[in-house]
Amino acid sequence: MRDSSNVINNVVNNNLCIGCGVCTAVCPTDSLTIKLNSKGTFEPHLNPDDCDDNGICLKVCPFNPFPEDQIKTEDEIISQISFEKRDQIKKTKFFGHYSSLNVGYAQKHRENGSSGGIASWLLKKLMRENKVDHVIATIEENPNKGKHFKYAILSKEEDIDLSSKTKYYPIEAGDVLKLSLEKKGKYAFIGLPCTIKAIRLAQIENPKTWAHIKFTISIFCGGLKSTFFTEYLSSKLDVPHNEILSPKYRLKNVDSTAGDYSFSCIKNGETSPRILPMKQVGDMWGTGYFKPNACDFCEDYSGELADISLGDAWIPPYSNDGRGHSLIITRTSETKKIFQEGQEMEQLYLEKISEKQAALSQEGNYNHRRIGLSYRLKWAKSENKIVPPKRIKEIVFENPLKAKIFKLRQQIQQESTLIWMEERDNLGKLFETKISKTKKKLFLFTKLEHLFRKKYWIRKIKGK
Ligand SMILES: Cc1cc2nc3c(=O)[nH]c(=O)nc-3n(C[C@H](O)[C@H](O)[C@H](O)COP(=O)(O)OP(=O)(O)OC[C@H]3O[C@@H](n4cnc5c(N)ncnc54)[C@H](O)[C@@H]3O)c2cc1C
Ligand code: SF4
Ligand code: SF4
């Protein structure tokens, strides 16, 4: 049953908020403010005295459980976005509409980028060619402000370098989007699929107000990490949560594979970063450590509503190269041309890839986000939990092994957060002991499930 039409009653109280912040930017009475909560994610707060209950916050929310039919899911929303020359655009169930699929890198930005440095190259090109005046992207924040990163409006080409690199950290966009309404000009916005969805919903709801965002660029997403992820990794370097400076998540090892990257941070009072190879901490993605609940009810991992989507090319031969390759999806003829020009000017190295290869590069993500979602929707329904409408249907016949794995991942998600709340002041000393039982079970069932998979044996025989 729908409660009063604001996001607090319908989204936050149903544990569905991802903390994108867009609701705060559209609120006409400035009744919503966004803050980090005790679980290390952003969440809006309402001043009920100022709220006029107009409900726009809920209409733009990517996790609105009661959207109108014409904006029900990504499929309906996309039909409201005027992508030109639709006839040339293809569609796949894996990552939506596309006009070109490439793997590649930007010659000048690869070294400093997380994957192929394509995001930084693209944002600079858009600015240099006056396609946009400003870029809304993420940069480092002064840690005295209680967080390590923020969104900022960047108006000089050289400032784009400040935004490069992936931050596995929650970053809300509300404040800066509000600011963009005052600062005139054309904008490009780069962010996660859920934030892009919220911006699209704002553009549909109020086209004139949000027409200044001319380009939306989505990074692929396998799930957000709360601030606890950074604290957890830092604790492995003996850096307490209140002494972390300048965390970095994707230090490349150019002599190894793309997946062999490291985390680093500086301990307050020191000058050199301490470095943690991620392979020392094990799988942080498949297990769902420190992931917000909302991500488990999100089925768009590529940013289907964006003009361009950028990710990592997690398939051989590209994944064997530690210097990094981007997976690039353009979704309009205009953005396809931008990449063709980059290639002609030899600023980009690009290789065309097939739909199948692109989908394969995000296979694990797809399995958890779509197949897993079909299980989670069924369980949510049986527990009378409110969730947003999805394209994927509830599973009818559960595979008991898969069901066990998806359940255990949900359990680890919740346990990792609760245990970290107990352990964060103690440098996480008992964290591993406390989580080990569930982690071992997940490991065991995952191994068992692999043994029953045909693909596992084919890959083993082929030596991949
Ligand atoms: C939480 C998260 C999960 C991800 N999961 C996947 C995945 O499963 N599969 C995959 O292929 N790729 C994933 N990515 C994307 C990938 O890590 C790279 O960010 C992407 O390939 C762009 O690389 P690049 O070298 O082109 O970008 P760079 O040139 O290094 O620039 C990075 C750009 O990303 C933006 N950015 C970085 N962190 C954030 C953030 N937290 N919120 C909003 N914007 C941000 C920056 O503003 C910058 O513009 C994820 C990224 C994040 C933040
Ligand atoms: S719009 Fe974003 S921040 Fe606001 S309630 Fe929805 S998910 Fe949370
Ligand atoms: S998984 Fe979905 S909801 Fe979670 S951060 Fe990524 S895009 Fe947003």
Side-chain angles (χ1 to χ4, degrees):
M1 252 266 297
R2 182 204 283 261
D3 240 322
S4 179
S5 61
N6 64 55
V7 282
I8 308 297
N9 294 331
N10 293 285
V11 181
V12 177
N13 293 348
N14 287 320
N15 198 13
L16 288 171
C17 175
I18 192 60
C20 69
V22 180
C23 54
T24 65
V26 299
C27 173
T29 57
D30 274 336
S31 314
L32 289 166
T33 45
I34 193 151
K35 286 187 217 142
L36 276 172
N37 60 22
S38 61
K39 292 184 174 170
T41 54
F42 279 103
E43 189 178 279
H45 297 259
L46 181 75
N47 180 350
D49 296 340
D50 294 338
C51 175
D52 65 0
D53 212 18
N54 71 74
I56 179 128
C57 56
L58 187 59
K59 286 186 180 158
V60 305
C61 177
F63 286 96
N64 176 6
F66 309 105
E68 286 164 13
D69 282 349
Q70 67 272 23
I71 50 165
K72 202 169 171 190
T73 69
E74 282 76 6
D75 281 351
E76 289 79 21
I77 298 170
I78 200 126
S79 63
Q80 312 256 353
I81 303 169
S82 52
F83 280 164
E84 79 283 18
K85 298 202 177 152
R86 262 180 176 281
D87 50 328
Q88 293 179 11
I89 293 176
K90 297 179 196 140
K91 193 181 173 196
T92 148
K93 70 168 181 172
F94 296 102
F95 43 80
H97 291 84
Y98 69 93
S99 48
S100 66
L101 298 176
N102 282 289
V103 162
Y105 53 84
Q107 311 279 9
K108 272 196 189 162
H109 300 280
R110 186 187 203 185
E111 195 183 331
N112 208 28
S114 278
S115 319
I118 295 287
S120 303
W121 171 84
L122 173 66
L123 296 171
K124 283 190 179 182
K125 181 169 166 78
L126 292 175
M127 212 181 249
R128 196 179 319 126
E129 295 179 358
N130 294 322
K131 289 190 188 329
V132 299
D133 307 296
H134 314 286
V135 158
I136 301 179
T138 60
I139 61 167
E140 238 184 279
E141 171 63 300
N142 180 340
N144 293 334
K145 300 255 169 85
K147 54 188 180 185
H148 290 288
F149 300 98
K150 65 175 178 185
Y151 262 107
I153 297 178
L154 308 174
S155 309
K156 287 192 218 134
E157 203 185 309
E158 61 269 27
D159 287 349
I160 301 292
D161 290 329
L162 300 173
S163 69
S164 65
K165 291 271 186 205
T166 300
K167 294 101 189 168
Y168 293 128
Y169 194 86
I171 312 177
E172 66 84 24
D175 288 346
V176 90
L177 283 171
K178 245 191 257 179
L179 214 64
S180 77
L181 294 172
E182 292 158 23
K183 200 169 169 169
K184 289 210 166 23
K186 296 172 284 179
Y187 285 73
F189 181 96
I190 182 160
L192 296 166
C194 51
T195 315
I196 302 290
K197 180 175 175 186
I199 288 175
R200 290 305 201 188
L201 289 170
Q203 288 181 323
I204 290 167
E205 191 58 34
N206 208 334
K208 273 199 187 141
T209 308
W210 296 99
H212 61 293
I213 300 185
K214 302 286 177 198
F215 288 91
T216 50
I217 300 141
S218 183
I219 47 179
F220 272 59
C221 183
L224 190 61
K225 296 288 185 197
S226 72
T227 59
F228 291 179
F229 180 59
T230 305
E231 297 181 0
Y232 169 77
L233 296 179
S234 303
S235 77
K236 303 272 174 210
L237 296 167
D238 283 326
V239 179
H241 65 84
N242 48 2
E243 294 188 44
I244 304 169
L245 298 178
S246 203
K248 302 217 172 357
Y249 304 84
R250 294 281 299 259
L251 298 187
K252 291 177 178 175
N253 180 353
V254 294
D255 299 321
S256 184
T257 58
D260 185 12
Y261 56 83
S262 298
F263 167 82
S264 81
C265 72
I266 298 174
K267 187 178 182 196
N268 195 10
E270 295 180 353
T271 48
S272 309
R274 299 182 180 200
I275 296 173
L276 175 73
M278 287 301 289
K279 60 183 175 196
Q280 279 181 21
V281 285
D283 181 12
M284 289 283 110
W285 296 98
T287 48
Y289 270 51
F290 311 114
K291 187 168 66 172
N293 179 58
C295 295
D296 262 354
F297 294 93
C298 164
E299 61 184 329
D300 176 12
Y301 61 86
S302 74
E304 294 177 34
L305 304 172
D307 297 306
I308 299 156
S309 299
L310 303 171
D312 287 282
W314 293 130
I315 36 163
Y318 315 108
S319 52
N320 297 332
D321 185 345
R323 291 170 299 174
H325 281 84
S326 295
L327 169 62
I328 306 152
I329 302 181
T330 67
R331 303 189 191 273
T332 68
S333 38
E334 184 184 7
T335 52
K336 180 180 177 181
K337 202 165 147 238
I338 291 175
F339 281 89
Q340 280 166 348
E341 284 168 10
Q343 192 175 21
E344 279 156 24
M345 292 164 84
E346 295 184 0
Q347 294 172 354
L348 298 182
Y349 171 80
L350 297 180
E351 265 177 45
K352 278 199 173 64
I353 52 159
S354 66
E355 230 177 74
K356 198 173 160 197
Q357 280 175 297
L360 206 60
S361 88
Q362 305 289 325
E363 195 182 23
N365 206 350
Y366 178 85
N367 287 342
H368 183 76
R369 303 282 289 288
R370 300 281 177 86
I371 298 168
L373 181 58
S374 67
Y375 284 73
R376 292 187 288 276
L377 286 175
K378 186 177 173 197
W379 301 332
K381 194 172 171 190
S382 70
E383 291 163 23
N384 284 326
K385 284 188 179 156
I386 289 177
V387 290
K390 293 288 148 194
R391 295 171 290 188
I392 197 110
K393 302 277 174 280
E394 288 161 30
I395 191 93
V396 180
F397 302 109
E398 291 184 25
N399 168 329
L401 269 180
K402 281 201 170 104
K404 191 77 192 164
I405 291 167
F406 294 134
K407 275 259 189 240
L408 283 165
R409 284 181 183 166
Q410 279 189 321
Q411 199 177 325
I412 288 206
Q413 226 175 302
Q414 288 156 17
E415 279 181 13
S416 59
T417 301
L418 295 175
I419 298 173
W420 190 254
M421 286 163 92
E422 293 164 5
E423 286 298 315
R424 68 195 286 261
D425 287 329
N426 194 23
L427 258 184
K429 289 263 167 357
L430 296 176
F431 182 89
E432 304 301 347
T433 316
K434 289 183 178 179
I435 206 152
S436 67
K437 202 168 146 201
T438 319
K439 202 173 154 186
K440 272 184 197 150
K441 272 195 211 161
L442 177 62
F443 184 74
L444 181 76
F445 282 103
T446 309
K447 211 68 214 144
L448 268 175
E449 203 265 332
H450 278 175
L451 296 177
F452 281 98
R453 267 199 236 164
K454 210 164 94 193
K455 271 188 203 162
Y456 171 82
W457 291 107
I458 294 172
R459 281 178 191 170
K460 213 146 179 81
I461 290 161
K462 285 185 177 169
K464 285 187 185 173

